[in-house]
């Protein structure tokens, strides 16, 4: 597989140099040097040439070692991330699972023991010992337990305590505070909807006004900002769109404007995504933007035969050629940056979603949003469609398919949903 690489695709500052345009040019220089190494010699010309995409290789073993090195101990400078302890579990476990690596029982037990000690008596999970329960930490803890799997791990979660705590975070405008007296933004709605939908604790009171709050966060550009009146951002767009999919209310948005804004986030020269207008490419937006596209496709009722409305091959090229640390392992933001666990996981999710076409055929979509039992049905309708697989480079580069709303592979997600939807719901109807 080959594609044309051309310097003609570079950003044009219209001869108006700014700090932003200078940084953009520096990033494009570093990426252009990498892509030139993949240009077929016979096609090389002044403006570029044809890229040989058969040479791309996912450095699976190095990434696995990078993750295990982190699991075995982090340097002291990571103490500043003490409030992100559930996230480290989530980043490591999810990356290993997506790569298809073995997760030992010892590691699973270690994660459950750690997270059980971070669960607050008042409900929810704390980011670190002695801290307040936090919506982001609770989301990460629940997702880590999804990946651990097994009844023993599932039973560590206090469902009733989680529901009571979520309700205490609920605001009259439909949003949620991230913690007691904390900030309010779309992340809170997403984290709350993911946790509640997975644990079978959704109620009319919990979801009241949530869709309307998200709709108010859509900007004139078309994307979704953190709260009303603030610039659209890739991370908040994924969070808002995914939360609306859980609620079955993606029609609350102006989907035409959203599609236009999202499509503009993929950069023609780099192939990866940025998260805001006039910002630099970043590997993590392979999920925050790339993951939003399957949800948008579903909302637009597009069939898989119509394809994604972004360039899947270009995104894979950026991730495989520019985001892998070939010396230390792990994945990164962009060339010149260091790899980290956050970017490793989100780059791998983006790689997965660009390889596997995941979606729900329009004729098969469940439209009922009244029954609590419609939630798991709509959740598990998502699936990868093998006929639409696109793998750049070596065939061995393929990774596991990932759910775009819940960001984890399907098998552990299905087991978790089966367990918690065998528990009695807190409400039969959602409206």
């Amino acid at each position: 597989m080959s594609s044309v690489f051309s310097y003609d695709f570079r950003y044009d500052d219209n001869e108006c140099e700014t700090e932003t345009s200078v940084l953009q040019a520096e990033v494009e220089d570093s990426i252009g040097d990498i892509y030139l190494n993949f240009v077929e010699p016979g096609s090389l010309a002044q403006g570029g040439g044809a890229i040989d995409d058969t040479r791309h290789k996912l450095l699976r073993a190095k990434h696995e070692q990078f993750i295990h090195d982190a699991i075995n101990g982090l340097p002291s400078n990571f103490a500043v991330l003490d409030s992100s302890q559930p996230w480290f579990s989530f980043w490591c476990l999810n990356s290993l699972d997506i790569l298809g690596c073995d997760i030992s029982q010892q590691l699973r037990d270690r994660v459950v023991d750690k997270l059980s000690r971070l669960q607050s008596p008042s409900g929810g999970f704390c980011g670190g010992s002695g801290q307040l329960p936090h919506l982001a930490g609770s989301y990460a803890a629940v997702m880590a337990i999804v990946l651990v799997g097994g009844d023993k791990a599932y039973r560590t979660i206090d469902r009733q305590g989680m529901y009571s705590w979520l309700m205490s975070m609920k605001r009259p405008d439909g949003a949620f505070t991230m913690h007691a007296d904390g900030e309010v933004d779309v992340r809170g709605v997403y984290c709350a909807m993911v946790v509640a939908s997975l644990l079978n604790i959704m109620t009319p009171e919990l979801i009241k006004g949530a869709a309307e709050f998200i709709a108010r966060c859509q900007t004139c550009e078309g994307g979704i900002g953190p709260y009303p009146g603030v610039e659209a951002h890739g991370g908040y767009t994924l969070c808002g769109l995914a939360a609306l999919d859980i609620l079955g209310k993606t029609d609350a948005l102006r989907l035409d404007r959203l599609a236009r804004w999202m499509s503009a986030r993929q950069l023609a020269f780099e192939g990866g995504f940025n998260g805001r207008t006039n910002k630099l490419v970043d590997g993590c937006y392979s999920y925050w933007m790339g993951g939003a596209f399957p949800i948008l496709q579903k909302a637009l009722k597009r069939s898989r035969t119509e394809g994604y409305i972004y360039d899947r091959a270009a995104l894979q090229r950026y991730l495989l050629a520019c985001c892998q640390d070939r010396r230390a392992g792990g994945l990164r933001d962009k060339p010149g940056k260091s790899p980290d666990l956050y970017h490793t996981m989100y780059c791998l999710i983006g790689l997965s979603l660009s390889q596997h076409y995941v979606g729900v055929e329009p004729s098969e979509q469940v439209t009922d949003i009244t029954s609590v039992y419609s939630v798991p049905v709509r959740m598990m309708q998502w699936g990868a469609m093998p006929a639409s697989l696109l793998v750049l480079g070596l065939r061995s580069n393929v990774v596991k398919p990932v759910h775009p709303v819940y960001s984890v592979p399907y098998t552990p997600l299905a087991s978790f949903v089966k367990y918690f939807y065998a528990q009695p719901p807190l409400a039969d109807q959602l409206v």
Side-chain angles (χ1 to χ4, degrees):
M1 181 183 294
S2 66
S3 181
V4 173
F5 162 71
S6 174
Y7 280 101
D8 293 338
F9 297 149
R10 292 188 64 149
Y11 175 77
D12 182 4
D13 65 4
N14 294 307
E15 299 183 354
C16 181
E17 187 177 282
T18 66
E19 182 180 349
T20 300
S21 68
V22 170
L23 289 172
Q24 176 68 25
E26 292 174 357
V27 171
E28 288 178 345
D29 285 343
S30 65
I31 290 173
D33 290 344
I34 292 171
Y35 285 164
L36 276 176
N37 291 325
F38 290 89
V39 170
E40 297 171 359
S43 72
L44 190 62
Q46 185 175 3
I51 291 183
D52 178 10
D53 280 325
T54 64
R55 294 165 49 199
H56 297 297
K57 180 180 179 181
L58 177 65
L59 307 176
R60 195 182 304 262
K62 285 198 171 185
H63 301 327
E64 181 181 9
Q65 187 60 53
F66 175 80
I67 297 162
H68 278 294
D69 286 346
I71 291 170
N72 291 332
L74 292 167
S76 59
N77 60 311
F78 275 84
V80 296
L81 295 175
D82 180 63
S83 61
S84 298
Q85 292 183 40
W87 284 100
F88 281 98
S89 298
F90 179 38
W91 295 332
C92 291
L93 291 177
N94 205 24
S95 296
L96 290 172
D97 201 334
I98 293 168
L99 287 168
C101 304
D102 179 59
I103 301 175
S104 68
Q105 189 59 51
Q106 180 184 19
L107 177 56
R108 294 175 193 268
D109 291 343
R110 182 176 158 191
V111 168
V112 172
D113 177 64
K114 167 57 108 178
L115 295 177
S116 64
R117 288 185 279 115
L118 293 178
Q119 187 165 208
S120 170
S122 61
F125 288 84
C126 310
S129 300
Q131 298 172 14
L132 291 173
H134 195 285
L135 259 175
S138 295
Y139 161 84
V142 169
M143 299 314 299
I145 291 171
V146 168
L147 293 158
V148 168
D151 291 6
K152 179 182 177 182
Y154 302 157
R155 286 194 295 268
T156 63
I157 301 174
D158 178 2
R159 280 177 77 225
Q160 188 59 56
M162 178 69 79
Y163 178 76
S164 299
W165 176 72
L166 287 176
M167 286 300 298
S168 72
M169 297 296 103
K170 179 76 176 175
R171 286 166 44 98
D173 63 358
F176 292 80
T177 55
M178 295 301 290
H179 58 85
D181 300 320
E183 69 272 28
V184 177
D185 56 53
V186 167
R187 289 177 306 152
V189 181
Y190 171 69
C191 293
M193 293 303 103
V194 166
V195 168
S197 62
L198 287 174
L199 296 180
N200 188 14
I201 56 174
M202 292 183 74
T203 65
E205 295 77 19
L206 186 69
I207 68 175
K208 183 179 179 181
E212 291 75 12
F213 174 78
I214 295 169
R216 292 195 297 275
C217 295
Q218 186 173 24
T219 73
C220 59
E221 287 187 281
I224 298 172
Y227 46 87
V230 180
E231 182 186 10
H233 184 284
Y236 296 108
T237 296
L238 181 283
C239 287
L241 191 55
L244 288 173
D245 185 73
I246 294 170
L247 294 165
K249 294 183 177 181
T250 52
D251 58 358
L253 298 174
R254 284 288 304 273
L255 296 174
D256 54 343
R257 288 184 179 179
L258 178 61
R260 187 183 309 114
W261 181 83
M262 285 174 54
S263 297
R265 301 280 64 74
Q266 188 169 30
L267 301 169
F269 185 79
E270 300 93 314
F273 290 101
N274 65 15
R276 287 184 286 163
T277 304
N278 287 334
K279 292 297 183 178
L280 302 176
V281 68
D282 187 331
C284 72
Y285 290 110
S286 303
Y287 172 61
W288 296 121
M289 291 309 311
F293 274 96
I295 309 172
L296 175 65
Q297 304 266 127
K298 179 186 173 187
L300 292 172
K301 296 182 169 53
R302 285 175 61 92
S303 169
R304 66 184 174 91
T305 59
E306 298 177 86
Y308 279 158
I309 52 176
Y310 78 92
D311 190 332
R312 297 162 65 189
L315 179 59
Q316 290 183 49
R317 185 178 304 116
Y318 176 69
L319 290 169
L320 293 170
C322 301
C323 292
Q324 298 190 96
D325 189 306
R326 300 179 182 279
R327 181 185 62 82
L331 291 105
R332 60 195 180 188
D333 166 350
K334 60 178 67 68
K337 299 289 187 178
S338 298
D340 58 66
L341 295 170
Y342 167 87
H343 281 92
T344 295
M345 187 189 83
Y346 286 117
C347 285
L348 288 173
I349 298 174
L351 179 65
S352 171
L353 289 167
S354 59
Q355 290 179 345
H356 303 275
Y357 186 105
V358 297
V360 183
E361 283 295 310
S363 61
E364 299 172 359
Q365 289 187 23
V366 173
T367 57
D368 174 37
I369 59 172
T370 60
S371 169
V372 70
Y373 291 107
S374 70
V375 176
V377 174
R378 285 186 283 111
M379 185 190 310
M380 299 314 299
Q381 267 204 309
W382 288 90
M385 301 170 182
S388 300
L389 183 69
L390 173 66
V391 180
L392 208 66
L394 303 179
R395 189 69 179 182
S396 59
N397 290 346
V398 68
V399 295
K400 289 184 180 180
V402 170
H403 197 297
V405 174
Y406 295 91
S407 72
V408 294
Y410 288 87
T411 298
L413 181 65
S415 298
F416 193 90
V417 170
K418 181 179 180 181
Y419 177 88
F420 281 98
Y421 278 86
Q423 312 300 318
L426 303 187
D428 292 325
Q429 298 294 316
L430 295 179
V431 295

